[in-house]
């Protein structure tokens, strides 16, 4: 059956929508009550009346049917406002982060980047089948591949992919599939380079994770992350600051690269890559800069897609408030 509100097609008969959460019986009753209260719908109602009717109907679905409530336009998704945010938020976040990492605040920013740095070590270790525990400034991980770790990671990603498929979140489904492919490559083709990858994807993982956090700004407006604005903008800020902190390190003078031994831990990541695997300084720098540029290109694709999709949504009849979504089904 098809949901009368969001048009999500359910394969099985259900009493409520698995996507938007409405109860079908109460939704239909609210539509009929609204139709009796407001009279027959006009052929082309204006935007304010359409929004106000939809707000009253949603209020009744929540059980607040004692009296009609006036709808405030600021509470509804605004495609034009979202288009402006998507156009300026990411460039301004990167530009502002680039300025901040050149000031005395860089030490504080490095503390934020450290979280993604150690998370990069840990996630790479898990993808190669080794347990990992990220801690401040160090990540503990196993030396040998464990079948239980491989099974746990595969099951977790597979379950996430199933939930994305059930909710028809195709972007999340593609992301889950990409993670499974990377895990397969780590366990087969790249298995001899596991330790090297774990070391490299400290700063490398920070670049990738920062890119993902910034890309999450362009989630669909129906997602829970979009509705939590503090989290959405916070992810953008954390991602931009981390990315620029790592990018400035590897595009700056060689003297800034942390060679040597970390007190009470081990050799730093750049020193380990040079001592254990024979990487030169230029090779090390080139590979981190290449990864950063790949991340920026991916982010540019997401940026353009975010603008185009929001513009097309803004031009759609539903966004102009033609009232078609409020017509009760006959």
């Amino acid at each position: 059956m098809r949901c009368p509100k969001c048009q999500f097609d359910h394969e099985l008969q259900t009493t409520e929508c698995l996507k938007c959460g409405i109860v079908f019986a109460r939704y239909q009753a609210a539509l009929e009550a609204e139709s009796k209260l407001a009279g027959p719908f006009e052929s082309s109602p204006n935007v304010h009346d359409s929004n106000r009717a939809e707000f009253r109907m949603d209020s009744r679905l929540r059980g607040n049917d004692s009296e009609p409530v006036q709808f405030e336009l600021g509470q509804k998704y605004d495609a034009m406002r979202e288009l402006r945010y998507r156009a300026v938020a990411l460039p301004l976040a990167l530009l502002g982060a680039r300025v901040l990492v050149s000031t005395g605040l860089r030490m504080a920013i490095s503390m934020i980047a450290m979280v993604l740095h150690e998370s990069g070590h840990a996630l790479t270790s898990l993808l190669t089948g080794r347990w990992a525990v990220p801690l401040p400034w160090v990540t503990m991980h196993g030396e040998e591949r464990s079948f239980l770790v491989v099974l746990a990671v595969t099951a977790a990603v597979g379950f996430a992919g199933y939930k994305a498929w059930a909710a028809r979140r195709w972007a999340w489904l593609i992301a889950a599939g990409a993670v499974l492919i990377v895990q397969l490559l780590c366990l087969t083709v790249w298995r001899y380079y596991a330790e090297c990858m774990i070391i490299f994807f400290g700063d490398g993982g920070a670049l990738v994770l920062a890119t993902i956090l910034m890309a999450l700004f362009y989630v669909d407006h129906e997602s829970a992350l979009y509705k939590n604005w503090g989290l959405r903008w916070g992810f953008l800020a954390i991602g931009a600051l981390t990315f620029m902190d790592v990018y400035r390190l590897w595009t700056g003078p060689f003297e800034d690269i942390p060679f040597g031994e970390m007190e009470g831990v081990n050799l730093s990541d750049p020193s380990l890559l040079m001592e254990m695997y024979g990487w030169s300084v230029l090779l090390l720098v080139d590979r981190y800069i290449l990864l950063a540029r790949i991340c920026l290109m991916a982010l540019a694709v997401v940026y353009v897609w975010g603008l185009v999709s929001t513009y097309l949504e803004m031009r759609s009849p539903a966004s102009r408030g033609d009232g078609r979504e409020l017509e009760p089904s006959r």
Side-chain angles (χ1 to χ4, degrees):
M1 65 180 301
R2 187 178 298 275
C3 174
K5 181 179 181 182
C6 67
Q7 303 302 314
F8 179 73
D9 191 11
H10 298 74
E11 297 181 359
L12 302 177
Q13 295 291 330
T14 60
T15 59
E16 61 183 38
C17 181
L18 299 178
K19 183 177 181 182
C20 66
I22 67 164
V23 179
F24 296 140
R26 296 177 63 185
Y27 184 84
Q28 186 62 32
L31 280 177
E32 294 175 356
E34 183 63 35
S35 177
K36 294 178 181 178
L37 178 65
F41 283 102
E42 298 178 1
S43 58
S44 9
N46 59 45
V47 176
H48 180 72
D49 291 341
S50 174
N51 290 340
R52 184 170 54 189
E54 183 178 352
F55 183 79
R56 285 203 303 267
M57 180 186 64
D58 288 343
S59 178
R60 288 189 175 87
L61 289 176
R62 293 192 297 269
N64 302 327
D65 55 355
S66 58
E67 60 182 14
V69 181
Q70 291 296 322
F71 176 81
E72 295 182 8
L73 292 177
Q75 297 177 354
K76 189 175 177 61
Y77 171 72
D78 187 339
M80 175 61 75
R81 179 184 60 192
E82 179 64 16
L83 183 63
R84 296 192 190 102
Y85 288 160
R86 293 191 171 197
V88 302
L90 179 60
L92 289 180
L94 288 173
L95 180 61
R98 182 65 179 85
V99 173
L100 289 176
V101 297
S102 301
T103 67
L105 295 174
R106 189 180 182 188
M107 181 60 68
I109 295 172
S110 296
M111 297 292 291
I112 299 175
M114 177 270 295
V115 176
L116 297 189
H117 176 98
E118 300 303 335
S119 298
H121 284 313
L123 290 175
T124 306
S125 182
L126 291 173
L127 288 174
T128 60
R130 293 158 174 79
W131 62 267
V133 179
L135 300 172
W137 306 112
V138 64
T139 296
M140 311 298 295
H141 64 84
E143 299 295 333
E144 300 294 335
R145 185 169 59 184
S146 169
F147 174 75
L148 292 179
V149 174
V150 174
L151 182 62
V153 173
T154 304
V157 178
F159 179 74
Y162 168 75
K163 296 294 289 185
W165 173 79
R168 296 198 173 186
R169 298 290 185 180
W170 307 124
W172 295 110
L173 180 61
I174 294 173
V179 173
L180 288 177
I181 293 175
V182 172
Q183 183 194 27
L184 180 62
L185 292 173
C186 289
L187 296 174
T188 56
V189 179
W190 301 333
R191 66 183 185 276
Y192 300 113
Y193 310 103
E195 188 68 28
C196 180
M197 291 171 56
I198 293 173
I199 298 172
F200 177 80
F201 279 98
D203 277 353
L207 290 171
V208 174
L209 292 175
T211 302
I212 293 174
L213 288 181
M214 289 186 286
L216 288 177
F217 187 81
Y218 296 92
V219 294
D220 187 84
H221 69 271
E222 295 181 353
S223 69
L225 179 59
Y226 176 86
K227 296 173 183 177
N228 190 332
W229 276 54
L231 195 60
R232 183 191 182 201
W233 288 88
F235 280 169
L236 176 64
I238 293 172
L241 290 171
T242 299
F243 189 94
M244 281 303 172
D245 182 66
V246 177
Y247 187 77
R248 184 180 184 277
L249 171 66
W250 293 104
T251 56
F254 290 166
E255 292 78 9
D256 291 344
I257 300 176
F259 292 113
E261 184 175 357
M262 297 178 61
E263 184 176 356
V265 182
N266 199 346
L267 292 175
S268 65
D269 292 344
S271 296
L272 284 174
L273 291 172
M274 293 179 64
E275 295 291 336
M276 295 177 60
Y277 301 100
W279 290 23
S280 66
V281 178
L282 290 178
L283 180 62
L284 191 64
V285 171
D286 286 344
R287 289 183 174 177
Y288 276 119
I289 292 179
L290 175 61
L291 178 59
R293 289 172 178 171
I294 292 174
C295 290
L296 286 175
M297 287 189 290
L299 200 57
V301 172
V302 174
Y303 176 79
V304 173
W305 171 83
L307 293 181
V308 172
S309 62
T310 307
Y311 176 77
L312 293 177
E313 186 176 14
M314 183 181 66
R315 301 291 296 176
S316 66
S319 295
R320 295 196 299 268
D322 63 356
R324 295 177 186 174
E325 292 183 352
L326 297 178
E327 290 184 4
S329 57
R330 294 181 173 84

